[in-house]
Amino acid sequence: MLSLRFIREHPDLVREGVAHKGDTAPVDEILRLDCERRELLAEVEALRARRNEVSQQIGRMKQKPPELIAEMRQLGDRIKELDARVDQVDADLNGLLLLVPNLPHPSVPVGLDDRDNIEVSRHGELPTFDFEPLPHWEIADRLGIADFERGVKVSGPRFYFLRGLGARLERAIIDWMLELHSREHGYLEVAAPYLVRRESMTGTGQLPKFEEDAYHCEVDDLFLIPTAEVPVTNLHRQEILDAGVLPLKYACYTACFRREAGAAGRDTRGMIRVHQFVKVELVKFTEPSTSYQELEKLLDDACDVLRRLAIPYRIVQMCTGDLGFSATMKFDPEAWLPGQDRYVEISSCSNFEDFQARRANIRYRPAPGAHPEFVHTLNGSALAVGRTLAAILENYQQADGSVAVPEVLRPYVGVDVIRGVR
RNA sequence: GGAGGGAUCGCAUAGUUGGUCUAGUGCGGCCGCCUGCUAAGCGGUUACGGGGCCUUAAAGCUCCGUCAUGGGUUCGAAUCCCAUUCCCUCCGCCA
């Protein structure tokens, strides 16, 4: 969230940023409640100071004067009344603050939606085929390495099974990516819980605004994670870190669960948009002064995966309207899918500055004895495994219907070519 | 699921017959003195959040809150009562 003080002191900046995100957060209502809150606090704190003083006096007296005690009892009632009002205003204010999106970085191009995003760069040669390249669901179906129909039978639309070398390929991708990030890019591998508390979802910004997108276990009030960002960022919730440990870099693979509310009709076939998918996620905690450098490195670590797989890709910068709720800046690497003749988002790398840190209360001490400050948090997929699998199938498909295994994955898969599975 | 124990200012602890607790002490951290250097010693300092005053700002001053969380009793709660959460031990069940 934004700091209340910042909103109070820069209301116009906030209004502008919120508008550029296409959001309608009630900034003026927040300012009004903030005023009311401070007036109430001044009043109730003065009363409390008097009560503290008189109570101490009473404590020192041998004879307790009943009229003084009666007066204090009245004062106590008044304090209780005011406290109740402060609590109410606090709760209202907090509820509203959680609905205010993070402000875009000033350098981010202003725009309405994904049509205003900027293509930053293109990498790799688009493959050419002497046959008509197929979409990955057809390739997978013909090879018998995925089973979409039975996914629907067992779990419903947007679920699928992997079989044989399909399942092994997915496992190989996960394993190889984690090795790359932990051994070469310097991330600490973690394995995280798939179910998290409401506070964790609020910490990273999924709640309260986007509850309908999440799977929720009502009896325990736990949420299935939509991304490893949630458990891994919340690792350091309510902590004060030593400056020396920053930047902290984590790599974590998890399944991710998304209801895809509002996506009806989009990407209904294949592995692109499903309710459950595997993703390797990178999460960083940095000092504020270095977070944009770290974002560049994070983006490059994600793109490195695509380069090593020799999958053509481009990098797209999100405009203000497509940044999402929590990010100040976001880049999406998109992989080329020849079977569909289009680029598809395969990663998303964001800086949240102190937005999540403030919600989750993640701080660091810049120097011994110095006051704690909020860290900056960043994350990015590297990569979405299901979409990587789809990209491999489409880019490495061969005329005879088989799929070559990318060089780097061969030791993990154990074969050079994927042929049919029965 | 059952029984019991616990949660105090970075760490370890004192404090539970309610009022000099604005929470003591040790360790650690920081600053300084001392020292050829290190250690030791000596002195000082040492949380977080919020409001106000004063400031360009920082610093400073002041008030309020926080002894797991939320309620309650009371003129006054770390201390008494209730609920909740988390942790630990034992039993049961379980991959």
Side-chain angles (χ1 to χ4, degrees):
Chain A
M1 67 181 112
L2 303 181
S3 117
L4 189 52
R5 180 168 301 171
F6 182 84
I7 298 176
R8 185 189 302 151
E9 289 170 3
H10 308 280
D12 292 331
L13 272 181
V14 174
R15 286 194 195 95
E16 183 187 74
V18 167
H20 282 166
K21 275 211 170 173
D23 203 288
T24 55
V27 177
D28 292 310
E29 176 73 359
I30 287 170
L31 291 170
R32 194 186 63 71
L33 285 171
D34 175 48
C35 271
E36 188 179 341
R37 172 173 175 276
R38 283 182 296 153
E39 281 168 18
L40 285 170
L41 278 183
E43 190 179 351
V44 74
E45 283 181 4
L47 296 183
R48 221 187 287 271
R50 163 139 176 88
R51 180 174 74 178
N52 288 345
E53 195 190 335
V54 174
S55 287
Q56 272 182 14
Q57 283 173 16
I58 293 175
R60 275 184 250 112
M61 291 185 227
K62 287 264 158 44
Q63 305 282 326
K64 317 291 186 194
E67 67 281 353
L68 198 55
I69 287 181
E71 188 197 327
M72 285 301 104
R73 186 176 297 148
Q74 274 196 334
L75 190 77
D77 290 343
R78 176 71 183 142
I79 289 173
K80 206 170 285 185
E81 267 173 51
L82 288 172
D83 271 343
R85 285 176 59 193
V86 171
D87 285 350
Q88 185 58 53
V89 171
D90 267 345
D92 292 349
L93 199 51
N94 240 309
L96 294 182
L97 276 175
L98 287 174
L99 296 176
V100 180
N102 202 359
L103 306 180
H105 187 276
S107 72
V108 171
V110 175
L112 239 108
D113 54 36
D114 57 356
R115 284 170 307 214
D116 295 323
N117 293 341
I118 310 284
E119 183 179 293
V120 177
S121 58
R122 292 191 179 211
H123 307 263
E125 294 267 319
L126 298 194
T128 53
F129 300 89
D130 50 11
F131 58 94
E132 187 65 29
L134 298 173
H136 65 274
W137 57 86
E138 289 203 16
I139 302 167
D141 199 45
R142 290 183 189 195
L143 290 173
I145 59 173
D147 188 335
F148 298 98
E149 281 178 27
R150 290 196 178 95
V152 175
K153 176 177 77 178
V154 172
S155 298
R158 297 193 190 280
F159 286 94
Y160 64 94
F161 284 80
L162 291 173
R163 308 175 70 234
L165 284 173
R168 196 195 292 180
L169 181 58
E170 178 179 87
R171 185 156 49 84
I173 293 168
I174 297 166
D175 205 3
W176 170 71
M177 284 181 184
L178 284 173
E179 292 280 310
L180 174 63
H181 295 309
S182 60
R183 288 178 192 263
E184 296 194 41
H185 295 155
Y187 293 78
L188 179 70
E189 181 179 346
V190 290
Y194 287 14
L195 287 162
V196 296
R197 301 165 177 280
R198 182 173 287 276
E199 296 92 301
S200 297
M201 291 285 277
T202 306
T204 32
Q206 280 77 16
L207 294 183
K209 218 179 159 185
F210 308 103
E211 184 155 356
E212 63 174 19
D213 291 333
Y215 288 102
H216 181 215
C217 305
E218 213 163 313
V219 280
D220 298 303
D221 199 26
L222 290 172
F223 293 82
L224 277 164
I225 56 171
T227 157
E229 162 192 354
V230 178
V232 178
T233 305
N234 280 283
L235 254 182
H236 296 297
R237 186 149 60 85
Q238 303 283 358
E239 291 185 16
I240 299 176
L241 305 163
D242 288 328
V245 306
L246 300 178
L248 278 171
K249 300 162 67 175
Y250 293 104
C252 180
Y253 99 89
T254 65
C256 303
F257 305 89
R258 299 185 181 179
R259 293 192 59 239
E260 296 294 341
R266 289 172 58 195
D267 304 312
T268 52
R269 311 195 65 179
M271 320 178 164
I272 298 302
R273 190 174 300 277
V274 286
H275 290 308
Q276 176 190 323
F277 61 96
V278 175
K279 181 157 63 68
V280 173
E281 185 78 3
L282 305 177
V283 176
K284 288 188 183 184
F285 300 80
T286 78
E287 296 189 46
S289 60
T290 63
S291 66
Y292 283 95
Q293 284 164 255
E294 293 292 344
L295 176 62
E296 276 184 42
K297 285 198 231 164
L298 178 67
L299 178 63
D300 195 62
D301 289 337
C303 291
D304 193 32
V305 178
L306 288 162
R307 289 195 294 269
R308 292 184 190 227
L309 288 171
I311 292 172
Y313 67 96
R314 63 174 186 176
I315 298 173
V316 176
Q317 177 173 22
M318 303 297 105
C319 71
T320 56
D322 205 23
L323 272 181
F325 183 69
S326 304
T328 60
M329 191 183 284
K330 170 148 73 174
F331 296 94
D332 283 5
E334 296 185 347
W336 174 247
L337 293 192
Q340 299 168 64
D341 201 34
R342 62 166 179 153
Y343 284 98
V344 169
E345 174 188 340
I346 199 162
S347 169
S348 198
C349 299
S350 309
N351 189 354
F352 304 96
E353 295 193 8
D354 64 4
F355 187 78
Q356 294 180 326
R358 201 178 291 279
R359 288 175 161 243
N361 198 23
I362 307 167
R363 291 172 296 176
Y364 78 108
R365 211 176 284 283
H371 284 289
E373 286 178 29
F374 291 109
V375 298
H376 282 192
T377 60
L378 300 82
N379 67 57
S381 20
L383 304 164
V385 173
R387 290 187 180 186
T388 303
L389 206 154
I392 290 171
L393 295 182
E394 296 198 15
N395 282 280
Y396 283 83
Q397 59 183 305
Q398 303 180 123
D400 64 357
S402 67
V403 173
V405 176
E407 194 76 38
V408 290
L409 290 177
R410 288 182 189 173
Y412 294 83
V413 181
V415 299
D416 295 354
V417 179
I418 295 176
R419 300 201 164 79
V421 179
R422 277 211 270 161

